[in-house]
Amino acid sequence: MMGRQIAQVFAQHGYEVEATDEDQQALKTGIDEIANGPYGIHASVSRGKLTPDQASKALANIKTSPKLDDACRNANLVIEAAFEDLQLKQNLFQKIESVAPATAIIASNTSTLSLDKISQKISVRDRTVGMHFFNPAQVTKLVEIIRGTTTSPEMVEKASQIVREIGKTPILAQDEPGFIANRLGLTLYMEASKLLEDRLASLQDIDTCMKLGYNHPMGPFELADFVGLDTRLRNIESLYKATSDSKWIPPKLLREMVQQGYLGDPTRKTTSKGGYYEYLQVKR
Ligand SMILES: NC(=O)c1ccc[n+]([C@@H]2O[C@H](COP(=O)([O-])OP(=O)(O)OC[C@H]3O[C@@H](n4cnc5c(N)ncnc54)[C@H](O)[C@@H]3O)[C@@H](O)[C@H]2O)c1
């Protein structure tokens, strides 16, 4: 989900992008969504955000490559956006270090994992940085820049500059569980889950509360469905692992839904049976 969104943002701002994924089907559906998705390039033309000429240039800027080595070989910046799993990201960082140019910035889009831990096995740790984009990256204006203990000030500045170049605003977060955004956003989601599981409020009323009362564009459950429930579960599990704080014990209902294949909004995740609204049979 995030890899394709980030690729599109860079391509629309004139960067040449090489996208790679171990799942070849994900590369195909990714390119299709970049072109034809609800926030895709053709939709941007219809909304008057891109001219047809800019659209074809943006599409031409994106190539896919089934092999990580090929995708990274000439990169100035590598942004890793694989599953939220520490070991997997550590291994990917090692591979990226071994194939990317010696000057490349190595960034992770992790939502919750420690950048220091992700970078632990590599030697160029001063060049690693967190670049946490928000979903949908094509329209959200924020990127959290995460500074690990070994990230050089120069890297922080370079990453922040790149974020400005692609029309977004960087904020600087320390390498603490949840950084700034998820510490705040997931706290809201955990409280919403308690209200729902304790039957103190309905799904719709909780979502309506945050939309109408606080002007959030989506309620906490609509947002969870949008983000993907499997990703949401991994994020909360990783916060629990990092902090051992019982406030981050994943909600039972969330775990149950993911186990049963309810991975979020099925129009965004084709493999999903649905999200909260489908699982609880409530009309969206
Ligand atoms: N979903 C969101 O709203 C959101 C927002 C911000 C950040 N993030 C973060 O972005 C990252 C990705 O989340 P997502 O929702 O896009 O997940 P996703 O499940 O949609 O995509 C993850 C992709 O990683 C690929 N992958 C897994 N292991 C790989 C490997 N070894 N080599 C190459 N590709 C591999 C998978 O095939 C899959 O296509 C996570 O770290 C997540 O926390 C997600």
Side-chain angles (χ1 to χ4, degrees):
M1 188 178 283
M2 294 308 292
R4 58 191 66 168
Q5 297 178 7
I6 295 168
Q8 182 186 332
V9 170
F10 276 90
Q12 284 182 197
H13 284 83
Y15 284 77
E16 286 177 23
V17 181
E18 290 256 2
T20 186
D21 198 300
E22 65 173 8
D23 173 359
Q24 299 314 298
Q25 190 53 37
L27 278 181
K28 283 202 193 105
T29 52
I31 290 295
D32 183 52
E33 203 180 302
I34 287 171
N36 305 312
Y39 300 98
I41 286 177
H42 295 313
S44 302
V45 174
S46 307
R47 283 198 285 267
K49 304 267 180 203
L50 285 181
T51 64
D53 184 46
Q54 287 168 326
S56 43
K57 280 187 183 144
L59 283 169
N61 278 342
I62 308 175
K63 304 208 166 28
T64 59
S65 173
K67 287 198 181 145
L68 185 85
D69 313 31
D70 295 334
C72 295
R73 190 162 293 127
N74 297 312
N76 297 314
L77 164 67
V78 182
I79 302 181
E80 167 280 312
F83 298 138
E84 190 79 332
D85 178 288
L86 180 59
Q87 214 178 355
L88 185 141
K89 287 186 191 283
Q90 284 177 333
N91 293 341
L92 268 176
F93 261 41
Q94 266 187 313
K95 276 195 204 154
I96 293 166
E97 181 189 24
S98 69
V99 291
T103 49
I105 303 174
I106 304 179
S108 174
N109 185 48
T110 183
S111 311
T112 53
L113 293 168
S114 156
L115 180 72
D116 280 350
K117 286 192 182 150
I118 296 175
S119 315
Q120 208 166 300
K121 296 184 179 171
I122 70 172
S123 51
V124 294
R125 297 176 62 189
D126 59 318
R127 286 198 276 114
T128 62
V129 67
M131 290 177 82
H132 180 212
F133 287 77
F134 290 77
N135 191 353
Q138 299 95 328
V139 292
T140 50
K141 292 285 177 213
L142 183 72
V143 178
E144 268 184 308
I145 301 289
I146 292 103
R147 176 169 55 196
T149 50
T150 57
T151 307
S152 70
E154 189 198 346
M155 255 344 103
V156 170
E157 191 35 51
K158 268 193 184 170
S160 305
Q161 183 56 33
I162 292 169
V163 166
R164 289 186 205 102
E165 275 168 28
I166 56 170
K168 302 198 185 293
T169 301
I171 57 169
L172 185 59
Q174 301 304 317
D175 191 21
E176 288 294 320
F179 314 125
I180 302 172
N182 272 318
R183 192 150 157 185
L184 296 172
L186 290 179
T187 298
L188 170 63
Y189 170 76
M190 295 302 279
E191 283 304 319
S193 293
K194 272 189 208 140
L195 281 172
L196 184 69
E197 288 187 355
D198 294 347
R199 296 173 190 271
L200 295 173
S202 72
L203 183 73
Q204 266 171 325
D205 281 355
I206 296 169
D207 275 347
T208 302
C209 171
M210 296 315 296
K211 285 191 289 187
L212 301 189
Y214 287 82
N215 270 350
H216 287 197
M218 287 181 223
F221 297 112
E222 287 171 332
L223 181 62
D225 282 350
F226 187 83
V227 160
L229 299 182
D230 46 347
T231 298
R232 176 55 57 98
L233 177 60
R234 283 197 192 98
N235 288 343
I236 296 169
E237 280 173 340
S238 113
L239 281 180
Y240 183 49
K241 222 173 175 178
T243 60
S244 303
D245 185 336
S246 59
K247 91 177 208 191
W248 297 120
I249 293 175
K252 263 193 206 141
L253 180 60
L254 174 64
R255 200 179 279 292
E256 215 170 271
M257 284 191 293
V258 172
Q259 266 163 7
Q260 292 184 33
Y262 286 81
L263 307 181
D265 184 344
T267 63
R268 292 177 60 76
K269 276 207 175 192
T270 44
T271 50
S272 170
K273 283 187 187 169
Y276 276 92
Y277 281 79
E278 288 73 23
Y279 188 78
L280 298 175
Q281 298 181 351
V282 177
K283 200 169 172 310
R284 273 184 198 274

